[in-house]
Amino acid sequence: MSDEPSTRDRLVQAATRLFRQRGYDGTGLTEILTEAGVPKGSLYHHFPDGKADLACAAADWTASEIIRVIDDSFRAAPDWRHGVTTFCYKMAKLFDILNSADACPIFGLLFEGPDHDRFRAQAEQSFDRIIAAAARYGQALGMPADTALDAAETFIIGFQGSWTLARTRRKSDVLRGLPARLYGPSS
Amino acid sequence: MSDEPSTRDRLVQAATRLFRQRGYDGTGLTEILTEAGVPKGSLYHHFPDGKADLACAAADWTASEIIRVIDDSFRAAPDWRHGVTTFCYKMAKLFDILNSADACPIFGLLFEGPDHDRFRAQAEQSFDRIIAAAARYGQALGMPADTALDAAETFIIGFQGSWTLARTRRKSDVLRGLPARLYGPSS
DNA sequence: TCATGATTAGACCAATCGGTCTAGTCTTTC
DNA sequence: GAAAGACTAGACCGATTGGTCTAATCATGA
């Protein structure tokens, strides 16, 4: 019943927020430490490899958050399109809350940084977790396994592109319009 | 008939390449200068605002390159789908040449950096130029203006998402598969 | 030939970067 | 209540950052 998040969690969440806003290289350790209210020693205790470790933890945490939204969107969905639509609306709302300026939670977080291949591998794993989660709902809604995987990939690809365009325009409409783009005008 | 690109051009192209690989904050000025073979003084002569100016020039240059590929893909295309397909194949080839590790030319370049809103505005303009170029071909192929704009947006959104996924997987297949995703299996 | 503005050249700067290290403070266990 | 390990605290480090500034060199037109 702790009301305070642990030091580790505060670090991960502060890092997530800041990486999303300014990117990996754009965010200083001091900034993260200040935001989390944690001294440097603690960081290197919980994350021996420092910034890189922290970034991977942040990516992992974000992927789980996204999957949580997927779950919330698809659990009660009568069909695939409804699930996608709910997800897009939820994310559009999040986009508006985030001041319409941040990078897409997972997608923007990775790639940069010195340890290129480690980050790439982490991103690949995060992507696959998310796609697999969506594909599971596709199957549950009656699709064959490979069709579901394909539909989930298309969905996530479209979402990623839409978020980027939404960001340049600072308008969340693009996200809400994704289902119509992918599946035609709503009947 | 100069065979040597100008100092300015060498700076822009070196910056483009490096920003694409390591991002804005991840790339040091010294690195750009070394790669371009240009001393610091020249940079601040051609780009008084330094790194930020250079990044905007790089973005602009890249957008023009993309539009050139769009032109090459659509000029002789018998219909919209053919144009999109050719574009995707050309970009997949580029992706392979670039070692499958770089960010998508335009899309990854921007957003970070201190002068957030300036970069955002630059990205928006680049996006719009590219979408408008594609939409023009849509109209030329018989679509009404608003349909063409919508098709172009969907195309670019899909492309952006596909490049990202291709990057995490280090496989250009995703790019080549985009037309089938958007328009169904080829007949 | 000389003068002038454009351009190149790189030494130099304060600030910040990520990371290390030692000291101290909790918490747990016997 | 004492010993031991988990954790916090922050001073400190060399390297690198983007940016400034002065001096030299180049091209050009009178």
Side-chain angles (χ1 to χ4, degrees), chain A residues 67 70-72 74-76 80 132-143 148:
Chain A
I67 289 173
I70 289 181
D71 285 336
D72 289 347
F74 281 86
R75 193 179 297 114
W80 175 258
R136 253 191 312 277
Y137 285 103
Q139 277 194 266
L141 289 165
M143 297 181 188

Side-chain angles (χ1 to χ4, degrees), chain B residues 27 29 40 44 51:
Chain B
T27 308
L29 275 191
K40 212 166 242 189
Y44 283 90
K51 205 184 182 185

Side-chain angles (χ1 to χ4, degrees), chain B residues 7 65 76 87 100 132 146 149 152 158:
Chain B
T7 301
E65 290 287 298
F87 179 84
S100 317
D146 55 341
L149 193 63

Side-chain angles (χ1 to χ4, degrees), chain B residues 86-127:
Chain B
T86 306
F87 179 84
C88 289
Y89 273 69
K90 280 181 188 293
M91 293 304 280
K93 199 169 174 182
L94 176 64
F95 179 93
D96 288 329
I97 292 172
L98 293 177
N99 270 335
S100 317
D102 295 6
C104 178
I106 344 137
F107 311 112
L109 190 61
L110 303 147
F111 292 127
E112 316 156 17
D115 199 347
H116 198 106
D117 203 64
R118 177 176 177 194
F119 286 178
R120 202 219 92 254
Q122 174 74 41
E124 182 175 15
Q125 190 211 316
S126 300
F127 262 68

Side-chain angles (χ1 to χ4, degrees), chain A residues 158-174:
Chain A
F159 175 71
Q160 150 64 2
S162 300
W163 186 288
T164 307
L165 190 56
R167 197 145 89 99
T168 66
R169 296 194 175 155
R170 283 189 296 199
K171 295 264 288 166
S172 52
D173 296 1
V174 190

